[in-house]
Amino acid sequence: GSSPDGAVSPEVERLLGGAADRSLPVEGLEPLVSERFYNVDINSVDPQVAPEEWTLRVTGAVENELEVDYEALTSMEAREEFVTLRCVGDPLNGRKMDNALWTVVDVAPLLEEAGVTADSERCCVMLRAADDYYEEFPLSALREGMLAYRMNGAPLPRRHGAPVRALIPGHWGEINVKWVTEIEVLTEEMDGYWEQKGWHG
């Protein structure tokens, strides 16, 4: 997504420029890449996690527990993806749905390295975060999942989960856990953060 000195790459400039060209010049209508991306989390103060201190663990029903640091993750094959997130609590015609260009790596190679196969014993996955948030969803969804570390060509902002967040296509924003630190593979379903508090949206 960028050169080592932090400059935006030609690919990011091309994609963002294309999105700007395709945006409609209608008053009150946001462009294809959102100017103000919504932000919802459980914190009064968001965690501040330095990239050099961050790690991601793959644990639970795995053959080999795995831990990768930021340097290892950002050395994986990456690409730029437009992904839209929407808040599960957004009312009809609400405004908490936004789009950005993310620099991502796939989760699947990490699952493979940990020896996770699509067998019937592994039902789901719990994503855990540095702010003690956690959310569960089907293992099959994580096979299309991504880990993002840049947003619109810049390092991921703190309020969007820096240094690394999850992006899980086809799922509400709450599933796309920010400040992600652990992927726990489960053999039985467990309640996520909000479900434990009695909310089953």
Side-chain angles (χ1 to χ4, degrees):
S2 73
S3 64
D5 64 3
V8 174
S9 72
E11 175 68 357
V12 168
E13 286 187 342
R14 182 185 71 79
L15 291 167
L16 291 178
D21 291 344
R22 291 174 176 84
S23 297
L24 299 175
V26 176
E27 186 177 348
L29 185 68
E30 273 214 277
L32 292 178
V33 172
S34 302
E35 293 174 335
R36 292 180 300 278
F37 204 109
Y38 83 88
N39 185 53
V40 176
D41 55 56
I42 63 171
N43 310 299
S44 54
V45 178
D46 288 335
Q48 189 160 359
V49 184
E52 60 271 17
E53 296 173 359
W54 176 87
T55 62
L56 175 71
R57 297 168 58 232
V58 183
T59 66
V62 299
E63 291 181 12
N64 314 296
E65 287 209 353
L66 188 67
E67 186 170 23
V68 295
D69 61 15
Y70 187 78
E71 184 177 1
L73 185 89
T74 56
S75 296
M76 293 171 60
E77 184 175 347
R79 66 181 184 282
E80 312 298 337
E81 284 275 347
F82 287 105
V83 177
T84 301
L85 297 179
R86 185 174 187 189
C87 180
V88 67
D90 209 18
L92 185 65
N93 297 324
R95 294 185 173 272
K96 291 179 181 171
M97 182 172 73
D98 288 305
N99 187 49
L101 179 66
W102 311 85
T103 304
V104 302
V105 298
D106 290 320
V107 174
L110 298 176
L111 294 178
E112 290 167 15
E113 191 174 343
V116 178
T117 57
D119 62 41
S120 59
E121 307 226 338
R122 298 178 174 110
C123 66
C124 26
V125 173
M126 188 74 79
L127 288 187
R128 301 185 185 276
D131 64 346
D132 296 326
Y133 182 69
Y134 51 96
E135 195 55 70
E136 184 235 60
F137 54 95
L139 173 61
S140 57
L142 198 60
R143 297 193 178 281
E144 305 298 320
M146 298 167 281
L147 297 166
Y149 58 91
R150 296 183 74 83
M151 181 180 184
N152 296 329
L156 197 63
R158 177 180 175 186
R159 67 194 179 101
H160 285 294
V164 179
R165 72 171 298 158
L167 292 174
I168 314 298
H171 288 262
W172 293 107
E174 66 167 350
I175 296 293
N176 295 260
V177 173
K178 298 184 280 191
W179 310 287
V180 64
T181 58
E182 183 179 0
I183 298 171
E184 181 185 6
V185 181
L186 307 174
T187 56
E188 296 181 3
E189 290 191 10
M190 294 175 61
D191 284 340
Y193 179 90
W194 291 113
E195 290 77 11
Q196 283 215 339
K197 294 183 179 303
W199 187 79
H200 291 273

